[in-house]
Amino acid sequence: MRNLILAVSGLALGVTACSTSTSAPPLGAPPVAALSVTLPSATLLVGQSQLAAATPRDANGTPLSDRTISWRSSVPAIAGVDAAGTITAITPGTTVISASAEGVSGSAGLTVVAQPPVPVSSVSVSLSASSVVAGQSARATAVVRDAAGNSLSGRVVTWQSSNSGVATISAVGDISAIAAGTTAITATSEGKSGSATLTVTAPPPAPVASVSVTPASASVQVGGTQQYTAVTRDANGNVLTGRTVTWASNNPGVATVSGSGLATAVAAGSATITATSGGISGSAGITVTSSQTSTPVFSDDFESGNMSKWNESDPTVQQVVNDATLAHSGRYFLRLTYGINGADASWLNKYFAQGFTQLYVRYYVRFSSNFVGGTKLVALRGAPIGQPSGGVGRAGICPNGTDFFSSAVVNDFGDTYPTKMYSYWQDMWADSNGQCWGRYGPTPSTMPYISPMPDLAKGTWHKIEFALRMNSSASTSDGQQTLWVDGVKYGEWKGIRFGDPALLNLGVLTISGSGNTTQIQSVDYDDLILTTDYPSQSQP
C-alpha cells in the first residue's frame, strides 16, 4: 500500500486519498498516484448544475490524461452527479462529490442552498363581500404576484384597516364590521401593498311590533287640549327610539290631533286618537265635553207643536211640521215657506227686555232641494236697553251708537262666501245715498272668512252656530263675532264697535225668512238654543 497526496485546486476541497489501483494504467503509462476534484462553485442553488473537473496525476505530480473517471455524490438526494461529472443541485444541504480513477479518489464538498424567493411585485386584495352590515363578518384574501404576474405562495402578509372604528381585521384576514362607514382593507407583503374598499352599513332597525298611546283616555272641554305620547316597542318589548310616528283622529269634528300628538277638543263627543309607526298602530280615547256653562236663556225644539215661545211669528208662511222622519230630532220642526203669492217667509222675533252683552245661538237648518237665491237665517239685534223692539225694522239706517246694531247669518247659494255674517255697527260706511245696508266684512275688501267656502248641501241638516260679543265701552272697538258651520269655523270678525254698551244691548233673536222668489221653496229649523256664552270652539 502507498500513501498518496491529493491536491484540490480552485474552490476544490483538498483531501488525502489512500487507495490501491483496481485497474491497470494504459500499457507503458505511469499509474495514477493522486486525483484532485475541482468544482466551479462550492455552492449551488437548488435547480442549478455545474461540471466538476477531476485531474489524475502520477507520482511526480504530472497530470495524466486518457484515464477513466467515475463520479459519485455522498448524498444523491441533495445533489446528483452523472458519469460526465455534471452536478445537479436537488435540495438544500451538503454533500461530497467524489471522483476515482484506478482506485485513487478525490473529492470536494458541495453546499446546496434554496433558491432565493422571487421578489413580490404586486399584491391584490379581494373581499368575500364588499358591503356588510355592522355586526357581520367578512373575509379578505390577498394574492401575491411576481413581476411576470405569477402567483407566489408562502409569503408573509400583514393586514390593516384604515378605519378600525368601521371595521377591524385579524392577522389572517378575518374582518369584523363595527359601525356604518367605509374603510380600506390593505394587505402588505415585502413592501408591496394592495387594498379593497369595504362599506359597512347600519343594521336595519328592528321592526315595530307594538305602539302604546298614553294617556289611554282623556276628558277635555271644548277648546282644551290633551298631549298624547306614543311608545314604540319591538317584539321583545324593548323600547325603540327615533321612529316616525303619525297621528290621526277618527272624528276630527270632535277632536283634531297634530303631528306631535297634541289633541284639540273641537266639539262635544268622542273620538279615537291613533298613533302609527312602521305600519303598527295604537290608540287612545278622548271625550270632549261642552265648555258651555250658563243656563240657556231661550231654546225651542218645536216639540210643543207650535210657535208659542216666540213674540212674533207669521203662520201664513211659517208652520211647525209633525214628521219624525224629517225632523232633526224628535217629531217636530219649524218650516218657513218662500214664494207664497211671491212673498218672502217673514220672520219670528224673540224679545229680551233685560238684554245681554254677548250671546251664542246654535240651531239646525235645512234648505229644500230646489232652493235658489239667498236669505237671512238667524239674527242677533241690539236695541236700547229695556226697549228690544227698537232693534227691528232698521234697514237702510246707519247706526249712531245709541239706537241699534244688528248682525245676522245669511246664506246665498253660488256666492264666493255662501254662508257669512251680515252686520250693522256704529262705524260702518254708508252708500252714495247716505244709507247703510248690512256689510259682510269690516271693509269692502276685507272678508273674514275661510276660502274656499263650500255651498251648504241642500236637503241636509246643517248645524249653524253664531256668537256675538259687544264692545266693552263706547270708545273701544273690541267687539267680535264668530260663525261655525257643521263644527267648522267659517268666519271670525274682530275689532268691532257695535255701539255704546251703557245704552244698548242684545235684546232680539230673529229667525228671518227674507228673500224674493216666485217659486215655492222652504227652509227648515230645529233644535235652537240661545246662551250667554261666547265659546272659543264649536259646541255640541
Side-chain angles (χ1 to χ4, degrees):
M1 180 177 286
R2 300 183 293 177
N3 288 328
L4 301 177
I5 303 297
L6 177 65
V8 179
S9 62
L11 295 174
L13 174 66
V15 298
T16 298
C18 236
S19 70
T20 300
S21 177
T22 59
S23 62
L27 186 62
V32 175
L35 190 147
S36 61
V37 174
T38 304
L39 302 180
S41 173
T43 301
L44 286 182
L45 298 176
V46 172
Q48 289 184 332
S49 61
Q50 63 181 355
L51 184 62
T55 304
R57 300 176 188 273
D58 63 14
N60 297 318
T62 302
L64 303 172
S65 60
D66 299 326
R67 303 301 166 97
T68 300
I69 306 296
S70 59
W71 296 91
R72 68 180 294 271
S73 170
S74 64
V75 186
I78 292 177
V81 60
D82 63 13
T86 300
I87 302 169
T88 301
I90 298 172
T91 189
T94 60
T95 186
V96 175
I97 302 301
S98 301
S100 63
E102 301 174 12
V104 178
S105 298
S107 65
L110 178 69
T111 298
V112 177
V113 296
Q115 287 276 1
V118 177
V120 173
S121 179
S122 66
V123 178
S124 60
V125 174
S126 60
L127 304 177
S128 60
S130 60
S131 180
V132 294
V133 176
Q136 293 182 339
S137 59
R139 177 78 175 180
T141 304
V143 176
V144 180
R145 289 183 170 85
D146 61 18
N150 300 310
S151 177
L152 303 175
S153 61
R155 302 305 170 92
V156 175
V157 175
T158 59
W159 292 96
Q160 185 178 23
S161 169
S162 65
N163 190 341
S164 58
V166 171
T168 60
I169 186 166
S170 73
V172 295
D174 291 327
I175 298 170
S176 297
I178 307 299
T182 58
T183 184
I185 301 298
T186 301
T188 301
S189 181
E190 299 177 17
K192 301 295 182 180
S193 298
S195 63
T197 299
L198 176 71
T199 300
V200 177
T201 58
V208 175
S210 67
V211 178
S212 58
V213 178
T214 54
S217 63
S219 180
V220 183
Q221 283 192 340
V222 170
T225 60
Q226 174 65 53
Q227 180 65 58
Y228 288 91
T229 58
V231 177
T232 56
R233 291 181 169 85
D234 63 17
N236 295 319
N238 300 310
V239 175
L240 304 174
T241 61
R243 302 306 170 92
T244 298
V245 176
T246 59
W247 293 90
S249 168
N250 74 330
N251 194 349
V254 170
T256 61
V257 64
S258 71
S260 61
L262 180 66
T264 300
V266 175
S270 297
T272 298
I273 303 301
T274 301
T276 301
S277 180
I280 305 298
S281 298
S283 60
I286 184 170
T287 300
V288 179
T289 58
S290 173
S291 60
Q292 187 172 294
T293 57
S294 62
T295 301
V297 296
F298 178 75
S299 65
D300 199 348
D301 57 10
F302 303 101
E303 293 302 305
S304 65
N306 57 56
M307 296 174 282
S308 60
K309 290 186 177 183
W310 298 83
N311 298 108
E312 297 174 357
S313 60
D314 185 350
T316 63
V317 291
Q318 303 156 4
Q319 66 179 133
V320 176
V321 179
N322 180 0
D323 189 337
T325 64
L326 295 177
H328 176 261
S329 67
R331 297 190 56 85
Y332 296 89
F333 62 93
L334 174 68
R335 173 165 288 174
L336 275 62
T337 303
Y338 300 69
I340 298 176
N341 298 321
D344 63 19
S346 191
W347 62 75
L348 294 85
N349 284 324
K350 178 65 180 179
Y351 297 121
F352 303 97
Q354 78 276 19
F356 308 96
T357 58
Q358 68 181 31
L359 285 173
Y360 161 84
V361 60
R362 183 222 67 199
Y363 55 96
Y364 289 84
V365 65
R366 176 177 59 199
F367 291 86
S368 62
S369 59
N370 69 331
F371 198 96
V372 295
T375 183
K376 297 183 182 70
L377 296 174
V378 169
L380 298 173
R381 304 182 188 276
I385 295 174
Q387 305 173 48
S389 61
V392 298
R394 310 293 290 182
I397 298 174
C398 296
N400 62 23
T402 64
D403 52 356
F404 82 101
F405 64 90
S406 175
S407 193
V409 176
V410 302
N411 192 81
D412 189 2
F413 287 102
D415 192 72
T416 301
Y417 303 103
T419 309
K420 49 191 173 288
M421 294 170 279
Y422 180 81
S423 301
Y424 288 79
W425 72 102
Q426 181 176 348
D427 298 317
M428 71 183 299
W429 66 96
D431 64 15
S432 59
N433 296 319
Q435 293 181 301
C436 288
W437 306 95
R439 305 297 184 182
Y440 303 125
T443 71
S445 61
T446 304
M447 296 291 107
Y449 307 103
I450 64 170
S451 180
M453 180 187 292
D455 269 320
L456 297 181
K458 299 174 185 178
T460 300
W461 286 108
H462 296 280
K463 182 174 74 171
I464 308 295
E465 300 169 89
F466 180 49
L468 186 151
R469 174 184 290 157
M470 290 185 64
N471 45 293
S472 58
S473 70
S475 60
T476 305
S477 298
D478 58 357
Q480 59 182 341
Q481 52 190 354
T482 306
L483 167 66
W484 296 269
V485 177
D486 294 328
V488 177
K489 184 186 290 186
Y490 267 37
E492 186 171 51
W493 183 348
K494 295 183 177 182
I496 309 170
R497 189 168 66 134
F498 288 106
D500 186 349
L503 303 174
L504 300 172
N505 61 19
L506 290 162
V508 187
L509 169 67
T510 299
I511 293 179
S512 176
S514 65
N516 296 318
T517 180
T518 58
Q519 74 167 6
I520 302 300
Q521 57 189 24
S522 62
V523 178
D524 299 334
Y525 292 83
D526 204 354
D527 295 326
L528 181 147
I529 187 170
L530 183 72
T531 74
T532 57
D533 295 306
Y534 193 95
S536 60
Q537 300 287 338
S538 170
Q539 299 296 295

